[in-house]
Amino acid sequence: MKHKMVDIHTHILPGMDDGADSVDTSIAMLREQARQGVAAVVLTPHFYRERESMEHFLARRERALARLQAGLEVLPQQERETLPQLILGAEVAWRPNMKHMEDLERLCIGQTKNLLLELPNARWTDEVVNSIYNILNQGITPVLAHLERYFQPGRRTKVEEIASIGVPFQISAGALSHPLFGRRLVRLMGREQTAVLASDCHGVASRVPNMASGLEQLQNRLDDETVERILRCGQRIITP
């Protein structure tokens, strides 16, 4: 495996959302990521525009990061050096008129202009699809979060249409072993050039870091070159 794993979708920051509930949980999640061979994680707490202002969210995120960093500082240096690189981001919930949201760049991943975007669970209208193009027109690349959630009878054609428009889309590692549509998701990732693997991890008891199992599913069903391309796409997401 030439390219190291990057997990672009995690809820590791403590106390931010329904993810890690404490610094101890965050550190346990990072240890598990390291054990599985993950080199970098993007910290992507939920951002809901209707619930809080961007300024309030960013301030909370900075405080959560400071708490996590303080917890990491007390670990032995040798262990700290084995843990994944931390990169700030957000999982931004789609809302109407997103093109009018100011400072979307502040929610992008690290120093990039890549934005992890959560699409609505309701039926996708033309407005949803058009908003993807509107965000692109702002110079920001939306990365579509957990596309497998919408991979249901009656919606699969729309999902594959969205996946084919050329923007990166993320599939969660656990979905690849789903008994009903896991194989089809693997084929989708193998076919599209912008597929990204991530964990969408939330804790250590459930929705745990599972990048290694997702990678195994890909390796079992796709050729090495295609798997490397998927890992390389994850690396591009975090590279300015």
Side-chain angles (χ1 to χ4, degrees):
M1 189 169 63
K2 298 178 182 178
H3 291 85
K4 295 183 178 179
M5 283 192 291
V6 174
D7 192 350
I8 69 160
H9 186 175
T10 76
H11 296 270
I12 288 175
L13 273 181
M16 280 294 295
D17 52 19
D18 58 342
D21 56 2
S22 67
V23 170
D24 286 345
T25 299
S26 300
I27 292 175
M29 294 171 75
L30 290 172
R31 284 171 170 155
E32 181 59 22
Q33 294 271 28
R35 188 190 70 78
Q36 295 184 29
V38 176
V41 299
V42 184
L43 307 169
T44 53
H46 289 287
F47 173 68
Y48 301 101
R49 182 180 58 175
E50 74 279 9
R51 297 183 187 178
E52 66 180 324
S53 68
M54 188 179 298
E55 290 296 339
H56 187 266
F57 170 81
L58 293 174
R60 283 201 307 122
R61 191 180 68 172
E62 286 299 325
R63 291 194 297 269
L65 178 61
R67 292 197 303 273
L68 176 54
Q69 289 175 329
L72 293 172
E73 281 299 317
V74 302
L75 299 178
Q77 180 178 350
Q78 185 175 5
E79 180 179 12
R80 291 201 306 272
E81 292 174 350
T82 67
L83 297 179
Q85 175 189 2
L86 304 181
I87 302 168
L88 281 177
E91 182 181 3
V92 181
W94 180 91
R95 285 298 177 268
N97 299 314
M98 285 197 73
K99 64 181 179 180
H100 299 303
M101 283 183 66
E102 297 181 356
D103 298 331
L104 268 180
E105 286 187 19
R106 301 175 73 186
L107 300 172
C108 287
I109 293 170
Q111 301 302 310
T112 75
K113 291 190 176 182
N114 300 320
L115 180 80
L116 187 65
L117 178 66
E118 182 180 34
L119 296 177
N121 283 319
R123 184 177 179 85
W124 294 341
T125 63
D126 289 342
E127 182 181 17
V128 173
V129 179
N130 289 339
S131 69
I132 295 173
Y133 291 103
N134 290 333
I135 292 171
L136 285 166
N137 288 336
Q138 297 180 53
I140 294 172
T141 299
V143 181
L144 308 182
H146 44 59
L147 210 62
E148 76 281 348
R149 287 193 184 181
Y150 321 107
F151 208 73
Q152 304 155 358
R155 298 183 70 182
R156 290 177 181 172
T157 301
K158 197 68 172 177
V159 168
E160 294 187 353
E161 176 188 340
I162 291 243
S164 69
I165 67 177
V167 299
F169 66 92
Q170 173 251 311
I171 297 294
S172 300
L176 299 182
S177 58
H178 193 283
L180 297 180
F181 53 77
R183 289 180 179 272
R184 189 165 179 177
L185 287 172
V186 171
R187 289 197 297 270
L188 178 66
M189 295 187 75
R191 184 171 67 247
E192 302 297 338
Q193 297 297 306
T194 55
V196 185
L197 180 69
S199 72
D200 190 12
C201 58
H202 279 65
V204 291
S206 63
R207 302 182 70 180
V208 300
N210 58 355
M211 289 289 285
S213 64
L215 177 63
E216 182 178 10
Q217 291 294 328
L218 295 177
Q219 291 173 325
N220 287 342
R221 297 172 182 174
L222 300 173
D223 61 78
D224 291 345
E225 183 178 351
T226 302
V227 174
E228 286 293 335
R229 184 254 295 160
I230 293 170
L231 296 181
R232 189 164 58 247
C233 191
Q235 187 69 49
R236 285 201 303 269
I237 296 297
I238 67 170
T239 303

